[in-house]
Amino acid sequence: MRIFNKTLSFFLIAVILVASFAVDPKPVEATPDITSNLTFHYDFENSGALGNDISAANNDATVGTGVAAQVDGTRGDVARFTKASAQNYLVTPVNNPTTSYTQSAWVYITDAAGNQSIFGIGTASSGNLAYFYVKPSRVVFASNKFGTETADTLGTISNNTWYHLVKVYDSTAGTLSTYVNGVLWRYSDVSAPAANRVIIGSHGQSTTPSGTSTLSLGGYLDDVRQYSRALSEEDIQSLYFTESGTAPTPQNLIAYGIDSSVSLD
């Protein structure tokens, strides 16, 4: 509060008011958005229709015979992928976007070795594959064009543990990023991917991928999503907290710590 010993003119009052509002302006915080521009969302809560898309896009997937319903003690109804089985995949009716996109899934790997595919795209050329999978070393690997443009993480994950894995391609910034449990692990400069059919649980290389591929998933998936935009870091943290049931605090909203189950190189 200010007290003056004289009558102020309207001009001085206006100057003081403007100055008071200009002091220590509060930043406008963007509200996280995890619902807009969903291309699909498979939550696997309906065991009779694992390919049911619960988003407004209604992009139901074709479920291969190697995928089955499973009840998990942590996440409830999930989808089980058996690596040695034929047709170990979901084939979506969606083409991988050539502009910004985000892919998100909860992943639990049970297979002892080998590559574990989360997202792939159906194409005849491996050089154009937009991969998102976990390597035998358990490094999370993302690519827009396999072999040339990648975003390996800086650490590894473990088998028999649930992780929230997210891949973000920002066409405006020209970057590809990977997140693990709401934490940014790596980003790289890349160009646009090829537009081909999105495959879940296998690597593609055709619109009818090989379920017994060495890149096929052995384990469980839950809450598989794709967006036709690049989610912000705040969006991704909100998605992680929402789907994990973890209550965020001011500290971990600003800089969320990496789980003890994650090892850094």
Side-chain angles (χ1 to χ4, degrees), residues 110-146:
T110 58
D111 192 69
N115 296 301
Q116 310 292 328
S117 182
I118 307 165
F119 289 91
I121 61 174
T123 175
S125 172
S126 62
N128 289 325
L129 285 177
Y131 279 127
F132 191 26
Y133 69 91
V134 180
K135 291 183 175 182
S137 62
R138 294 305 176 252
V139 166
V140 181
F141 178 89
S143 169
N144 260 6
K145 293 183 179 179
F146 180 70

Side-chain angles (χ1 to χ4, degrees), residues 68-173:
Q70 178 82 24
V71 177
D72 175 73
T74 300
R75 297 201 53 81
D77 293 339
V78 300
R80 183 182 76 246
F81 291 74
T82 304
K83 195 175 185 69
S85 298
Q87 299 186 24
N88 187 39
Y89 49 72
L90 273 68
V91 180
T92 77
V94 176
N95 278 345
N96 198 65
T98 57
T99 55
S100 296
Y101 68 90
T102 300
Q103 293 175 331
S104 167
W106 285 86
V107 182
Y108 186 102
I109 298 172
T110 58
D111 192 69
N115 296 301
Q116 310 292 328
S117 182
I118 307 165
F119 289 91
I121 61 174
T123 175
S125 172
S126 62
N128 289 325
L129 285 177
Y131 279 127
F132 191 26
Y133 69 91
V134 180
K135 291 183 175 182
S137 62
R138 294 305 176 252
V139 166
V140 181
F141 178 89
S143 169
N144 260 6
K145 293 183 179 179
F146 180 70
T148 58
E149 297 174 326
T150 64
D152 287 27
T153 61
L154 299 179
T156 59
I157 63 174
S158 302
N159 282 6
N160 303 309
T161 302
W162 280 107
Y163 292 95
H164 185 228
L165 305 183
V166 179
K167 169 188 176 183
V168 181
Y169 170 58
D170 187 330
S171 60
T172 302

Side-chain angles (χ1 to χ4, degrees), residues 3-106:
I3 300 176
F4 298 88
N5 60 1
K6 64 176 182 179
T7 303
L8 300 180
S9 67
F10 287 113
F11 175 76
L12 286 176
I13 292 173
V15 170
I16 292 170
L17 286 174
V18 171
S20 65
F21 282 110
V23 174
D24 298 326
K26 294 182 179 180
V28 177
E29 297 181 358
T31 302
D33 179 6
I34 61 173
T35 58
S36 297
N37 303 102
L38 263 172
T39 308
F40 56 71
H41 178 193
Y42 307 118
D43 66 350
F44 307 123
E45 293 301 320
N46 185 348
S47 60
L50 289 176
N52 181 43
D53 175 16
I54 66 169
S55 79
N58 294 317
N59 284 314
D60 292 350
T62 301
V63 182
T65 56
V67 183
Q70 178 82 24
V71 177
D72 175 73
T74 300
R75 297 201 53 81
D77 293 339
V78 300
R80 183 182 76 246
F81 291 74
T82 304
K83 195 175 185 69
S85 298
Q87 299 186 24
N88 187 39
Y89 49 72
L90 273 68
V91 180
T92 77
V94 176
N95 278 345
N96 198 65
T98 57
T99 55
S100 296
Y101 68 90
T102 300
Q103 293 175 331
S104 167
W106 285 86

